[in-house]
Amino acid sequence: MNRFLFFIPEQASSVAAQVDLFFYFMVAVSGFFSLLIAGLIVFFAFRYHETRVEAGRPAIDDREHATTHGHGQGAVMLEIVWTVIPFALAMVMFAWGTSLYFTLVRPPAGALQLYAVGKQWMWKFQHPEGVREINELHVPLGQDIRLTMSSEDVIHSFFVPAFRVKQDVVPGRYTQTWFHPTRTGTFHLFCAEYCGTQHSGMIGSVTVMEPRDYEAWLATGGGAAVPGQSLAQLGERLFNERACSTCHLPNGQGRGPSLVGVLGSTVKLEGGGTVKADESYVRESILNPMAKIVAGYVPQMPTFQGQLSEEQLLELIAYVRTLGAKDGGAAPPTVAAAKE
Ligand code: CUA
């Protein structure tokens, strides 16, 4: 990381080379046309300079009409060429860029699910096994990592140049991103959205470890204290403490809908309409239960607005995820499973 690199950081994720190739393509196309146009301006300035016209060449007006406003076949051909070529190039950029974009915003099924919370001015990370980190994130090599992120205050942006990953982290909702590290090492993490006076200090690092080392690191609680409870276990405890469990019975006979298999499913709402039950939906249903009423149920759930921290919301969601999820995110393992 100490070399000066021509605006390209090292490639450390599966999409990095693809993003760079696309970037180079656009730089090449832009560079080619910039040089072509600048070159022609200079060329024409000399070619059609007044002094050359005075020397017995045809008048400028005549030439202009002959070459650019004529009705000859050559002129039509010229118009077609300079319309079709830029159109084709723009379409290539569009199709290529769109396909890359979809790759970047769609986490693969079975990705390792981690959580991030942005806060003025730090990054807080949670591993499903319960390990928490601040401004540092440890991940295993060669696995798809999916990050579900939220903010406690203002908009931040999770940016790891070496992974070519940048995603806004927004208060009041969840955003997600994913990456597949392809080499071990420590990589810069930045906040890429101005978020207050110490925005520039909201930095950290992502450390990619061999899977074996990562397991060992996790088992010792991130090299710190004794391993605590997993995120889902904490969520389950919260689920019982806050008496969510008295209404959301798993058999669907409770006063609230069953949460088994709800993540990623399509939920029918009272009064018609459906909603895709993603993490933002679960979060909204906890904080603002009246926003979307599941068909067949009475709106009677109290709000938990102001009573749960972002971390606790993530714990609850991690627990709901263990009840079954259809959105491709893997259920977090228990501490016992991670130790094996
Ligand atoms: Cu957080 Cu800038």
Side-chain angles (χ1 to χ4, degrees), residues 111-249:
L112 180 63
Q113 174 69 58
L114 304 181
Y115 299 90
V117 175
K119 176 189 175 175
Q120 287 170 320
W121 287 273
M122 63 171 85
W123 293 104
K124 299 192 277 190
F125 297 101
Q126 297 193 346
H127 296 255
E129 295 81 1
V131 177
R132 289 157 191 255
E133 302 186 80
I134 288 182
N135 291 342
E136 274 186 53
L137 174 63
H138 289 74
V139 293
L141 177 72
Q143 268 190 50
D144 298 327
I145 314 287
R146 171 174 148 169
L147 264 183
T148 296
M149 307 183 287
S150 189
S151 166
E152 282 186 22
D153 35 48
V154 299
I155 301 178
H156 303 279
S157 182
F158 179 86
F159 180 34
V160 183
F163 296 164
R164 309 295 187 271
V165 154
K166 187 197 276 178
Q167 172 62 51
D168 275 7
V169 178
V170 184
R173 56 179 279 201
Y174 291 114
T175 55
Q176 60 177 20
T177 189
W178 77 277
F179 50 87
H180 181 107
T182 51
R183 60 165 77 172
T184 57
T186 299
F187 306 99
H188 286 303
L189 160 66
F190 298 105
C191 176
E193 184 75 53
Y194 182 70
C195 55
T197 50
Q198 289 174 51
H199 153 73
S200 64
M202 194 169 160
I203 53 177
S205 61
V206 179
T207 301
V208 179
M209 309 168 94
E210 291 290 346
R212 198 175 291 266
D213 298 340
Y214 176 73
E215 293 301 330
W217 177 87
L218 267 186
T220 58
V226 283
Q229 286 182 297
S230 78
L231 213 53
Q233 284 167 334
L234 290 168
E236 183 174 13
R237 202 174 67 186
L238 212 50
F239 194 78
N240 292 318
E241 276 175 10
R242 300 294 175 130
C244 315
S245 50
T246 57
C247 293
H248 295 282
L249 302 181

Side-chain angles (χ1 to χ4, degrees), residues 259-276:
L259 302 181
V260 174
V262 71
L263 264 184
S265 68
T266 302
V267 174
K268 283 204 181 71
L269 297 178
E270 196 65 69
T274 58
V275 63
K276 177 95 192 311

Side-chain angles (χ1 to χ4, degrees), residues 61-139:
D61 286 353
D62 293 348
R63 284 173 177 241
E64 239 179 24
H65 284 273
T67 54
T68 60
H69 296 293
H71 302 288
Q73 250 192 342
V76 173
M77 218 35 225
L78 196 62
E79 298 255 9
I80 290 173
V81 166
W82 76 39
T83 305
V84 169
I85 290 179
F87 175 74
L89 281 170
M91 284 298 112
V92 167
M93 288 180 189
F94 169 70
W96 189 351
T98 305
S99 115
L100 250 183
Y101 174 78
F102 279 123
T103 304
L104 290 168
V105 298
R106 286 180 178 158
L112 180 63
Q113 174 69 58
L114 304 181
Y115 299 90
V117 175
K119 176 189 175 175
Q120 287 170 320
W121 287 273
M122 63 171 85
W123 293 104
K124 299 192 277 190
F125 297 101
Q126 297 193 346
H127 296 255
E129 295 81 1
V131 177
R132 289 157 191 255
E133 302 186 80
I134 288 182
N135 291 342
E136 274 186 53
L137 174 63
H138 289 74
V139 293

